[in-house]
Every structure is written in structure tokens, then in C-alpha cells.
């Protein structure tokens, strides 16, 4: 299993441009999450999804959109990039908890480093 | 969401035990205590979690106070590869499993 993969690894955007950060997981996990991490800070939740077709806002959703048409993919869309969106973006996934499940462990991707200038 | 308090940084010598403290005085009865760590330039990775009893796994041990208002992550023999930011997180009680990250403790391991 590749786990959680993210593309691209790095990207530089000009103010006002748009882009989509891709996230794919091959573990058949129901739950997926997008976080952002500013320098020296902990991660903040942007959006999450509990299954295909279901998404909800996290702590910092403004300026972003998501969709979940398949179990595997959870893309994050930036419509009008702003310098405040310069950050490292992490995607994560976890399985649906069930009795006997060992943990609610989230698996994180390697991140996308985005700079908006 | 209940919050956690951790020291900003700690130092340890290689091959010595490390005790990373976490205070969570407003924890509710159904909050699980999770620990994640983030190695430099990587995404976070799960370390351990617990509810009331102390827990051990291949990576670490988790000691939970009897009143559950604090916990301690124990690395039994620190290695240079353990240098990371360690996050103590109280897992969202809803089934969505959202993680609310604080700033964590930066652990430096000296050879």
C-alpha cells in the first residue's frame, strides 16, 4: 500500500490564481481530512469527509473548497489564492472505528508546500 | 474542545528515557488522549493513545494520571531519530475523529 499520497510536493502561486491539491489513499478509509500548518505552529483542520459525497467544515475553511466523489480521492481547491494561504498542507485518512479496532489512528501524507506571492 | 498544555521544548541525551508531560485539566470522561509526533519535513505520525489505563506499544508508553487531568508519554531509550515535535491531543468525542493540534513539544536528542 502506498498509504496517503499528495501532489504536488511544492507549488508557487501568484495572488488570485487557482489550484487543486490532490490527495489519494489506497487503504479504503472512509474518513479523510485536510489540515494546514503555518511555520512553527500546530496543524489546523480545514475540511473533512466521513465518506463519499459527505464533507464538512473544520476550523479554518474560508478560501477553500473540497469534494469527495470517491472513497479514494479528496481534492482541496483554492479559488483565489492569497498570501495568507502560504502554508504546508497535509491530507490524512482513517478507517471507520468498529468494535475491536485497535485505534482511531490517522495516517498522514507527506504534505504540499504552497507559497502564494 | 478540551485543550492540552505542553512545554514548548525539552532536551534529552541519547539512550536515556524521556518523559514528555501533558496537562489536560478540562478533559471529559469520554475523551481519548492521543499522541502524535512530527519528524522534520514530514507529516505527523501516530504514536499511542489511551483512555484511562496506562498503555504500552512498540514505540512508547503512555502513563495517565488517576484523575485523567494529565498524562506522560515515555520514550524508554531516546535515539537521534526520536527528535521531533510531539503533540498531545484530546480526540473529538464525535465519531468524526477530528484532531485539534496544539503547538506541541519540540524534543531535541543530544548524542
Amino acid at each position: 500500500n502506498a498509504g496517503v499520497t499528495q501532489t504536488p510536493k511544492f507549488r508557487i502561486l501568484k495572488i488570485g490564481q487557482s489550484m487543486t491539491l490532490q490527495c489519494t489513499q489506497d487503504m479504503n478509509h472512509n474518513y479523510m481530512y485536510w489540515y494546514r500548518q503555518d511555520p512553527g505552529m500546530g496543524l489546523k483542520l480545514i475540511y473533512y469527509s466521513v465518506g463519499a459525497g459527505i464533507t464538512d467544515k473544520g476550523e479554518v475553511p474560508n478560501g477553500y473548497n473540497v469534494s469527495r466523489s470517491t472513497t479514494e480521492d479528496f481534492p482541496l481547491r483554492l479559488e483565489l489564492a492569497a498570501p495568507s494561504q502560504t502554508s504546508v498542507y497535509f491530507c490524512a485518512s482513517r478507517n471507520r472505528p468498529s468494535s475491536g479496532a485497535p485505534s482511531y489512528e490517522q495516517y498522514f501524507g507527506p504534505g504540499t508546500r504552497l507559497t502564494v506571492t | 474542545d478540551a485543550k492540552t498544555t505542553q512545554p514548548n521544548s525539552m532536551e534529552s541525551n541519547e539512550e536515556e528515557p524521556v518523559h514528555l508531560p501533558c496537562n489536560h485539566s478540562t478533559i471529559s470522561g469520554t475523551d481519548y488522549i492521543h499522541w502524535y509526533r512530527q519528524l522534520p519535513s514530514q507529516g505527523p505520525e501516530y504514536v499511542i493513545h489511551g483512555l484511562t489505563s496506562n498503555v504500552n506499544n512498540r514505540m512508547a508508553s503512555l502513563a495517565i494520571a488517576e484523575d485523567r487531568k494529565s498524562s506522560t508519554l515515555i520514550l524508554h531509550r531516546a535515539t537521534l531519530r526520536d527528535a521531533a515535535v510531539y503533540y498531545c491531543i484530546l480526540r473529538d468525542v464525535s465519531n468524526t475523529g477530528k484532531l485539534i493540534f496544539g503547538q506541541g513539544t519540540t524534543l531535541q536528542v543530544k548524542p
Side-chain angles (χ1 to χ4, degrees):
Chain A
N1 284 353
V4 179
T5 56
Q6 293 183 237
T7 56
K9 285 187 169 51
F10 304 94
R11 183 72 185 268
I12 298 174
L13 280 183
K14 294 191 188 305
I15 294 171
Q17 286 185 322
S18 303
M19 77 163 295
T20 299
L21 282 66
Q22 301 292 346
C23 175
T24 300
Q25 52 91 10
D26 61 0
M27 298 173 282
N28 202 31
H29 285 173
N30 296 98
Y31 295 76
M32 296 188 74
Y33 309 85
W34 273 106
Y35 297 87
R36 60 176 284 174
Q37 185 174 34
D38 298 333
M41 306 295 287
L43 282 71
K44 290 191 183 301
L45 182 66
I46 305 172
Y47 271 96
Y48 66 98
S49 168
V50 300
I54 306 169
T55 63
D56 206 348
K57 296 177 181 178
E59 303 171 82
V60 290
N62 291 344
Y64 307 94
N65 279 301
V66 293
S67 59
R68 184 95 182 271
S69 56
T70 66
T71 299
E72 296 77 20
D73 300 305
F74 190 39
L76 178 72
R77 179 84 178 159
L78 283 71
E79 289 294 350
L80 291 170
S84 60
Q85 294 176 305
T86 294
S87 192
V88 181
Y89 291 82
F90 292 100
C91 180
S93 73
R94 76 171 176 104
N95 208 349
R96 186 196 307 273
S98 60
S99 62
S103 77
Y104 290 80
E105 175 181 353
Q106 285 191 21
Y107 296 82
F108 284 81
T112 293
R113 186 176 297 274
L114 176 67
T115 301
V116 182
T117 60
Chain B
D1 294 304
K3 293 190 184 296
T4 63
T5 304
Q6 300 176 251
N8 286 336
S9 63
M10 292 185 64
E11 279 187 1
S12 171
N13 294 318
E14 198 175 10
E15 298 191 4
E16 290 186 356
V18 182
H19 291 233
L20 297 164
C22 181
N23 287 321
H24 29 77
S25 58
T26 60
I27 190 170
S28 72
T30 53
D31 280 339
Y32 280 78
I33 302 159
H34 282 237
W35 283 82
Y36 280 73
R37 74 178 186 181
Q38 187 174 20
L39 302 172
S41 300
Q42 294 189 27
E45 63 175 346
Y46 167 85
V47 177
I48 201 166
H49 81 288
L51 183 62
T52 56
S53 305
N54 295 344
V55 183
N56 300 298
N57 68 19
R58 63 175 180 81
M59 289 182 71
S61 296
L62 177 60
I64 301 173
E66 198 168 330
D67 64 6
R68 301 210 326 127
K69 293 185 177 183
S70 65
S71 61
T72 302
L73 180 71
I74 303 165
L75 308 179
H76 295 286
R77 286 185 70 211
T79 69
L80 297 178
R81 291 180 65 252
D82 291 322
V85 180
Y86 287 79
Y87 297 99
C88 169
I89 302 166
L90 300 183
R91 186 181 59 81
D92 180 44
V93 297
S94 74
N95 210 19
T96 61
K98 293 178 289 185
L99 299 177
I100 308 298
F101 285 79
Q103 289 192 259
T105 296
T106 300
L107 175 67
Q108 293 181 322
V109 180
K110 296 183 289 186

